[in-house]
């Protein structure tokens, strides 16, 4: 039976006073009631034994032996019957049993001639046990009833026998002791309950802290290994499993799965100031890891805490810091560049209005104006990269563009900036070809790739040559633009790093490592993809795959 349901069956004025209406104290109360029942049976048997061997006159000074003997047997039989009832599930029955004990002990108190018999002390024990089960007013009520019973029965005995003043004092003392025991037991129980609640709160805090620590360790970007002095792994977080590519690490030996780390741990134990170098895991397909070692204690034993960081992730973090710094630098100098750029554009526009300018001069001024606008667009695009949207979101600045005519115009404009020994060819497989893109950013993309091609292509017949090929991919039906050169190409070991920021293959110090990175970022912001493909006969191919090949009318 549920304790909450039992409590609803008790009187309202008692319901909040029952010690065992709380589930947290139910088991303790159950033990107290069980021990109390054993105490009652033992007490009744002891009293029967005292009467049976005629020790009642000597020990208890029994005045009414027959009443005392019958009451003891009734008490014993009732105690046996009470064993078949579950008192812990029925507060009213437990309370009735307390009052029954007070009545029985009061009768025995009267039969044994009052306070001098010592039966009154048993009433104090019953009051103490009752107040360990019930608190507040109901516990004090039990003490009051016991005290009144002692005093009234002592007065009743004085009517039939001569009682000295000391007997009355003794009865009053027993009554006072009933109240004192009730108050002391209730205070003790209250303190115990407070201590228990505090202990449970502390245990809950420790458990919550343990859960929080586990969550923090599991969410750490670094791998964490807890290793004992023999090199056996005690615990490992998920990131450690990922970095070492192992399904389970607990119980394994570091020497078997990561020999270089095991050697580093032994070296560090001999010299804790040793600076550890990045290590290569046993599986060669994994990235190098940088270990950090700390000694700690686990279950009163010295253990070693190893933090593992991926060199690749560290490099990416360094790149992000560099890019953030570059973004701040670009933003700070953009205003300084745009001011003279605006003045230059304004001066060119004023010169174009002059009547003394011939056609050739007007053409040169238009080139200056166009390139000033282009520089302004480049600044805007680089600034936009620092706050660009994720590549999978649509950029609402994109607009429909017919690529074939746009590329033809681009070639005409771009050739004006080339030297006589620089040749560029455009091959268009079909027309028209449409896509969605921001034209100014497409201009920067193609310009960067064309400049990169001229920088790395070979000189043949005293001229450098690059090719642009525009077509529809037969497999995906998407527009693709290939920028080809006949240079040496990119070494295989550098292909994965080609589009990383600050990576360059130029040995002459002219490359910044940002050109291809910015170009790829611009492509992604326009829902396009930039990939590198080596040419079979040497040279490089940078392919831009646009987002749509749907004709727009």
């Amino acid at each position: 039976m549920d304790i909450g349901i039992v409590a609803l069956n008790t009187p309202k004025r008692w319901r909040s006073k029952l010690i065992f209406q709380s589930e947290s104290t139910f088991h303790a109360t159950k033990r107290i009631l069980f021990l109390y029942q054993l105490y009652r049976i033992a007490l009744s048997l002891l009293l029967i034994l005292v009467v049976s061997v005629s020790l009642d006159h000597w020990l208890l000074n029994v005045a009414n032996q027959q009443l005392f003997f019958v009451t003891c047997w009734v008490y014993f039989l009732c105690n046996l019957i009470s064993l078949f009832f579950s008192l812990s599930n029925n507060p009213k029955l437990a309370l009735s049993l307390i009052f029954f004990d007070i009545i029985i002990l009061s009768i025995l108190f009267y039969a044994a001639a009052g306070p001098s018999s010592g039966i009154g002390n048993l009433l104090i024990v019953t009051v103490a046990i009752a107040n360990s089960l019930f608190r507040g007013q109901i516990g004090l009520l039990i003490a009051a009833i016991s005290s009144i019973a002692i005093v009234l029965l002592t007065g009743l005995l004085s009517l039939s026998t001569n009682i000295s003043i000391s007997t009355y004092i003794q009865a009053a003392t027993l009554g006072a002791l009933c109240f004192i025991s009730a108050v002391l037991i209730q205070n003790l129980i209250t303190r115990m309950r407070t201590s228990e609640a505090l202990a449970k709160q502390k245990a809950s805090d420790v458990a919550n802290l343990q859960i929080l620590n586990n969550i923090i360790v599991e969410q750490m970007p670094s791998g964490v290994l807890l290793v004992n002095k023999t090199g056996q792994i005690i615990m490992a977080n998920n990131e450690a499993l990922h970095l070492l590519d192992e399904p389970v690490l607990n119980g394994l030996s570091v020497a078997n799965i990561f020999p270089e780390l095991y050697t580093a741990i032994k070296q560090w134990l001999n010299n804790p100031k040793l600076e550890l170098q990045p290590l290569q895991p046993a599986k060669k397909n994994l990235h190098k890891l940088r270990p950090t070692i700390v000694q700690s204690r686990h279950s009163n034993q010295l253990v070693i805490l190893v933090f593992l960081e991926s060199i690749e992730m560290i490099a990416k973090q360094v790149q992000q810091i560099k890019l953030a710094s570059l973004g701040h630098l670009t933003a700070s100098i953009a205003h300084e560049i745009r001011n003279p750029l605006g003045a230059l554009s304004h001066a060119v526009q004023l010169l174009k209005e002059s009547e003394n300018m011939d056609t050739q001069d007007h053409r040169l001024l238009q080139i200056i104006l166009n390139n000033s606008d282009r520089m302004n667009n480049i600044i805007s695009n680089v600034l936009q990269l620092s706050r660009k949207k994720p590549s999978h979101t649509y950029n609402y600045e994109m607009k429909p563009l017919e690529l074939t005519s746009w590329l033809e115009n681009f070639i005409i404009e771009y050739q004006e900036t080339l030297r006589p020994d620089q040749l560029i060819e455009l091959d268009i497989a079909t027309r028209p070809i449409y896509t969605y893109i921001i034209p100014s950013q497409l201009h920067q993309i193609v310009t960067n790739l064309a400049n990169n091609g001229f920088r790395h292509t070979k000189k043949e017949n005293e001229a450098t040559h690059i090719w642009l090929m525009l077509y529809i991919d037969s497999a995906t039906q998407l527009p693709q633009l290939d920028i080809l050169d006949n240079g040496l190409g990119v070494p295989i070991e550098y292909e994965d790093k080609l589009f990383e920021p600050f990576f360059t293959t130029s040995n002459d110090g002219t490359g910044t490592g940002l050109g291809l990175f910015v170009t790829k970022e611009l492509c992604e912001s326009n829902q396009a993809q930039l990939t590198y493909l080596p040419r079979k006969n040497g040279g490089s191919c940078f392919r831009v795959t646009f987002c749509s090949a749907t004709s727009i009318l």
Side-chain angles (χ1 to χ4, degrees):
M1 183 181 296
D2 186 75
I3 297 301
I5 297 176
V6 171
L8 293 176
N9 296 327
T10 59
K12 290 184 179 180
R13 64 181 180 276
W14 292 353
R15 194 175 298 163
S16 62
K17 303 301 182 180
L18 299 179
I19 290 290
F20 47 80
Q21 70 174 344
S22 171
E23 187 176 356
S24 61
T25 56
F26 172 74
H27 297 291
T29 301
K30 189 175 181 179
R31 288 193 298 270
I32 294 174
L33 285 171
F34 176 73
L35 293 175
Y36 180 52
Q37 286 180 298
L38 293 180
Y39 160 76
R40 295 168 72 246
I41 292 175
L43 177 62
S44 57
L45 283 175
L46 180 62
L47 292 175
I48 291 173
L49 180 63
V50 168
V51 175
S52 300
V53 296
S54 300
L55 294 176
D56 48 324
H57 290 288
W58 182 55
L59 293 176
L60 301 177
N61 193 24
V62 175
N64 191 334
Q65 186 175 6
Q66 184 178 1
L67 178 61
F68 191 92
F69 185 74
V70 172
T71 303
C72 288
W73 274 104
V74 170
Y75 190 38
F76 174 71
L77 293 176
C78 290
N79 290 339
L80 288 179
I81 295 173
S82 68
L83 291 176
F84 296 97
F85 295 92
S86 178
L87 301 181
S88 59
N89 289 334
N90 195 332
K92 291 191 291 185
L93 182 60
L95 185 61
S96 301
L97 197 64
I98 295 292
F99 284 120
F100 173 76
D101 283 359
I102 292 175
I103 293 172
I104 291 296
L105 292 176
S106 297
I107 295 173
L108 294 176
F109 178 82
Y110 177 79
S116 60
S117 63
I119 299 296
N121 297 327
L122 299 179
L123 278 169
I124 296 175
V125 174
T126 300
V127 170
I129 295 174
N131 277 270
S132 69
L133 298 174
F134 301 89
R135 67 178 186 273
Q137 295 179 354
I138 191 170
L140 295 177
L141 175 63
I142 293 171
I145 292 174
S146 300
S147 300
I148 293 172
I150 291 173
V151 173
L152 287 180
L153 291 174
T154 302
L156 186 61
L157 285 171
S158 66
L159 298 178
S160 57
T161 57
N162 293 325
I163 295 178
S164 62
I165 298 297
S166 62
T167 303
Y168 286 109
I169 296 175
Q170 191 175 4
T173 303
L174 290 173
L177 288 175
C178 287
F179 277 101
I180 292 173
S181 64
V183 172
L184 290 178
I185 293 297
Q186 289 202 27
N187 287 337
L188 179 63
I189 293 296
T190 300
R191 291 187 179 185
M192 289 175 61
R193 288 169 60 84
T194 303
S195 300
E196 181 184 6
L198 182 60
K200 287 185 177 181
Q201 182 62 42
K202 294 294 184 182
S204 177
D205 292 342
V206 171
N208 292 336
L209 185 60
Q210 182 67 32
I211 294 173
L212 181 61
N213 289 338
N214 291 338
I215 293 174
I216 292 174
V217 171
E218 290 299 329
Q219 296 299 321
M220 285 181 65
S222 303
V224 181
L225 298 177
L226 191 63
V227 184
N228 60 21
K229 284 193 173 182
T230 63
Q232 187 179 25
I233 299 175
I234 303 173
M235 288 187 295
N237 68 346
N238 289 333
E239 185 62 21
L241 300 178
H242 172 71
L243 292 175
L244 298 177
D245 194 22
E246 296 286 348
V248 178
L249 287 174
N250 293 357
L252 299 181
S253 174
V254 178
N256 295 332
I257 63 172
F258 202 163
E260 290 190 15
L261 177 61
Y262 182 72
T263 303
I265 291 175
K266 291 196 298 183
Q267 293 174 349
W268 185 88
L269 290 175
N270 294 329
N271 181 15
K273 295 183 179 180
L274 179 67
E275 184 175 351
L276 300 177
Q277 300 299 319
L279 306 175
Q280 177 64 48
K283 296 182 179 180
K284 299 302 181 183
N285 61 323
L286 300 177
H287 297 288
K288 284 189 175 182
L289 302 176
R290 187 179 71 180
T292 304
I293 303 176
V294 179
Q295 270 194 333
S296 182
R297 283 191 172 272
H298 179 72
S299 301
N300 294 326
Q301 294 182 354
L302 282 175
V303 292
I304 301 162
L305 197 60
V306 182
F307 297 91
L308 299 175
E309 295 180 279
S310 172
I311 294 298
E312 182 187 28
M313 292 302 299
I314 295 174
K316 287 182 178 180
Q317 292 173 1
V318 172
Q319 289 176 358
Q320 292 299 323
I321 293 173
K322 289 182 179 179
L323 289 174
S325 301
L326 180 63
H328 288 301
L329 177 63
T330 304
S332 62
I333 67 175
H335 178 71
E336 300 300 328
I337 294 177
R338 279 176 166 170
N339 280 344
L341 197 60
L344 179 63
S345 298
H346 182 65
V348 170
Q349 290 173 356
L350 292 177
L351 284 173
K352 287 182 66 177
E353 296 175 1
S354 175
E355 298 178 354
N356 299 325
M357 304 294 289
D358 56 20
T359 304
Q360 183 65 21
D361 291 337
H362 273 283
R363 180 176 174 274
L364 294 175
L365 290 175
Q366 186 61 43
I367 292 174
I368 296 174
L369 190 61
N370 291 341
N371 281 277
S372 296
D373 292 338
R374 180 179 165 227
M375 289 180 64
N376 185 64
N377 289 332
I378 290 173
I379 294 172
S380 299
N381 292 336
V382 173
L383 288 175
Q384 187 178 6
L385 284 177
S386 63
R387 53 181 181 274
K388 76 179 186 75
K389 300 175 182 178
S391 59
H392 62 272
T393 60
Y394 182 78
N395 191 333
Y396 288 96
E397 296 180 13
M398 296 165 58
K399 60 179 64 176
L401 183 68
E402 202 282 300
L403 287 173
T404 55
S405 58
W406 186 91
L407 271 175
E408 290 172 343
N409 294 330
F410 170 81
I411 294 297
I412 295 172
E413 179 185 345
Y414 185 72
Q415 284 177 332
E416 295 177 350
T417 64
L418 299 179
R419 301 190 308 269
D421 62 341
Q422 292 179 317
L423 304 177
I424 182 170
E425 291 186 17
L426 175 62
D427 182 11
I428 298 177
T430 182
R431 66 176 64 227
I433 298 177
Y434 294 91
T435 188
Y436 285 99
I437 200 164
I438 301 174
S440 63
Q441 295 189 2
L442 177 60
H443 193 287
Q444 186 175 351
I445 291 169
V446 180
T447 300
N448 287 351
L449 293 176
N451 291 340
N452 184 75
F454 277 118
R455 188 180 302 114
H456 295 94
T457 193
K458 287 182 180 179
K459 181 176 287 190
E460 294 180 350
N461 300 323
E462 300 300 324
T464 54
H465 204 156
I466 67 170
W467 298 265
L468 273 64
M469 299 177 60
L470 180 65
Y471 58 94
I472 298 292
D473 182 65
S474 58
T476 62
Q477 294 300 305
L478 294 176
Q480 289 186 343
L481 174 63
D482 290 351
I483 294 89
L484 310 171
D485 66 64
N486 60 352
L488 298 177
V490 178
I492 296 177
E493 61 270 21
Y494 292 154
E495 289 183 6
D496 293 338
K497 302 179 180 179
L498 193 59
F499 298 106
E500 292 182 0
F502 307 105
F503 174 80
T504 179
T505 58
S506 300
N507 297 322
D508 55 2
T510 58
T512 62
L514 288 174
L516 289 177
F517 168 74
V518 171
T519 303
K520 186 174 179 66
E521 292 290 303
L522 287 172
C523 287
E524 291 180 353
S525 68
N526 284 273
Q527 304 295 302
Q529 293 182 352
L530 175 61
T531 55
Y532 168 78
L533 301 170
R535 299 181 68 187
K536 292 182 180 179
N537 298 324
S540 301
C541 171
F542 286 92
R543 176 170 296 168
V544 180
T545 303
F546 297 97
C547 65
S548 175
T550 304
S551 296
I552 303 169
L553 302 179

